[in-house]
Amino acid sequence: LGSAHASRHGAQTHPHLFFHPELLQQVEYRRRLEDDLRLAVEQRELKLFFQPIVDLHTGLLAGAEALLRWQHSERGAVSPEVFIPLAERIGLIGEIGRQVLDDACRQVAHWRRDGLEIYVSVNVSASQIPEELPPESILETLNSYGLPSHAIALEITEGVLMSNVSVAQNWIAQLRAAGLRIYLDDFGTGYSSLSYLKRFPMDTVKVDKSFIMDMNDDHTLVDAIITMTGSLGLNVVAEGVEEAAQLDLLRAMGCGYGQGYLFSRPVAAADFVATAKRINTEMGRHTASP
Ligand code: C2E
Ligand code: MG
Ligand code: MG
Ligand code: MG
């Protein structure tokens, strides 16, 4: 004990081994967050919220994106921007991803039985592909809830495509062959978006919300993306639509789908049907006549 103490004491005089108290606190905070996340996953405390995706031509609800929420008993809501990367680092993303797919399938099956003919899109991290989320197991899960393959879409980012080209191509090809739709998320934020669209056959691109937020100043980029994806035969979802002026511009540009706080924030499953009804009456009424 004496020597351990001595060396620790000695370390403090060595510039490379000096620890700031805040840094130690951060390390401790991170370690506790990891333990809490493990427990939350084990006890199935992570909950899916659902955010409407609206068909801008009809004004009607088309689908919903499943977004994970973690309500921590002491810390309050922890953002997925924090706990998803953490889950990836500590090897929890596989289990989380299986829970998410299972919950999303159960929920959309329930809504479709009640006559709400929508799909749910599920976010997939690069580290889930392919071992943690093989195409066969996705199809099995869909099957177990009696779902058609078009009831689930999978959202991937460029990170998925960059990690291993042939693995990603195979994974996408198998799922598309089975009828699932693949969405390219956060489009425009990466490095080689354009070339990816040629190399990886996809169904839909989701224009990143940063571009939609800039639209009041300059909408040439969004306009170009919509034109280009249209000529490639791809659908477009505009993410982060917050203002009516953005919606008007997007419609004028021929953007197919929109998602954002203007329509609805992500809501708990229990509140989704009421949200869907509101959108289908309100937005449907505001649709420009053809
Ligand atoms: P994402 O897939 O790009 O999801 C869209 C994000 O934009 C969501 O943030 C959503 O709440 C937010 N958003 C939607 N409309 C608006 C708007 O009008 N304005 C603004 N400012 N934001 C809007 P959220 O829920 O915090 O999720 C953040 C990211 O965490 C997601 O980005 C996704 O990358 C990741 N994520 C969430 N759930 C999952 C999951 O189940 N699995 C995986 N692998 N990643 C997930
Ligand atoms: Mg997404
Ligand atoms: Mg996105
Ligand atoms: Mg994102």
Side-chain angles (χ1 to χ4, degrees):
L1 205 85
S3 75
H5 181 263
S7 69
R8 199 165 72 222
H9 189 77
Q12 300 217 338
T13 61
H14 194 286
H16 297 292
L17 297 176
F18 186 83
F19 286 109
H20 284 283
E22 307 100 82
L23 191 63
L24 273 173
Q25 266 174 21
Q26 267 181 39
V27 170
E28 175 61 14
Y29 175 88
R30 165 108 47 94
R31 198 190 56 71
R32 292 225 311 270
L33 198 63
E34 287 176 14
D35 290 345
D36 291 354
L37 184 58
R38 280 199 189 87
L39 202 67
V41 171
E42 218 174 271
Q43 305 188 334
R44 278 197 162 251
E45 278 172 15
L46 304 187
K47 296 273 178 282
L48 282 183
F49 270 42
F50 297 88
Q51 186 179 33
I53 297 171
V54 177
D55 181 334
L56 298 186
H57 297 302
T58 63
L60 300 175
L61 183 79
E65 178 174 9
L67 293 159
L68 209 47
R69 294 290 177 263
W70 181 18
Q71 190 64 35
H72 190 285
S73 53
E74 287 144 37
R75 296 174 218 257
V78 183
S79 166
E81 310 262 18
V82 171
F83 71 79
I84 293 289
L86 181 64
E88 288 168 352
R89 270 200 307 276
I90 64 176
L92 269 182
I93 194 68
E95 177 55 24
I96 289 178
R98 284 184 288 276
Q99 290 185 9
V100 164
L101 183 68
D102 199 71
D103 288 352
C105 284
R106 181 178 332 100
Q107 196 55 67
V108 73
H110 178 82
W111 287 328
R112 291 171 73 92
R113 267 198 308 276
D114 283 355
L116 198 58
E117 282 284 310
I118 61 164
Y119 68 87
V120 166
S121 69
V122 168
N123 290 287
V124 175
S125 297
S127 44
Q128 290 173 261
I129 296 174
E131 283 90 0
E132 298 284 14
L133 204 57
E136 312 82 63
S137 81
I138 296 176
L139 297 174
E140 238 168 67
T141 306
L142 277 153
N143 237 326
S144 70
Y145 289 103
L147 284 170
S149 49
H150 59 263
I152 291 289
L154 300 164
E155 297 195 6
I156 61 175
T157 58
E158 277 184 20
V160 169
L161 311 179
M162 278 161 58
S163 53
N164 189 330
V165 174
S166 63
V167 165
Q169 272 172 338
N170 262 319
W171 189 86
I172 294 171
Q174 281 187 60
L175 287 163
R176 289 191 84 230
L180 276 93
R181 283 174 297 192
I182 308 291
Y183 287 19
L184 187 56
D185 204 356
D186 303 345
F187 185 77
T189 57
Y191 294 104
S192 327
S193 304
L194 280 179
S195 71
Y196 284 131
L197 286 184
K198 286 210 74 172
R199 274 159 76 194
F200 301 89
M202 220 103 39
D203 300 275
T204 298
V205 300
K206 300 188 77 172
V207 183
D208 190 70
K209 56 178 175 284
S210 57
F211 296 102
I212 308 303
M213 282 162 187
D214 286 346
M215 258 180 29
N216 293 335
D217 295 331
D218 180 11
H219 58 255
T220 48
L221 253 168
V222 176
D223 208 353
I225 294 173
I226 292 169
T227 305
M228 176 204 63
T229 48
S231 64
L232 290 170
L234 297 164
N235 288 316
V236 184
V237 181
E239 294 193 288
V241 183
E242 293 185 357
E243 299 165 11
Q246 295 164 342
L247 174 61
D248 290 343
L249 270 173
L250 288 164
R251 275 185 164 146
M253 293 171 184
C255 181
Y257 299 88
Q259 176 181 354
Y261 296 169
L262 179 67
F263 308 109
S264 170
R265 289 185 177 253
V267 297
D271 299 325
F272 189 78
V273 173
T275 301
K277 282 187 181 142
R278 176 181 58 75
I279 286 172
N280 283 343
T281 50
E282 270 175 29
M283 298 309 298
R285 220 185 301 133
H286 293 175
T287 306
S289 37

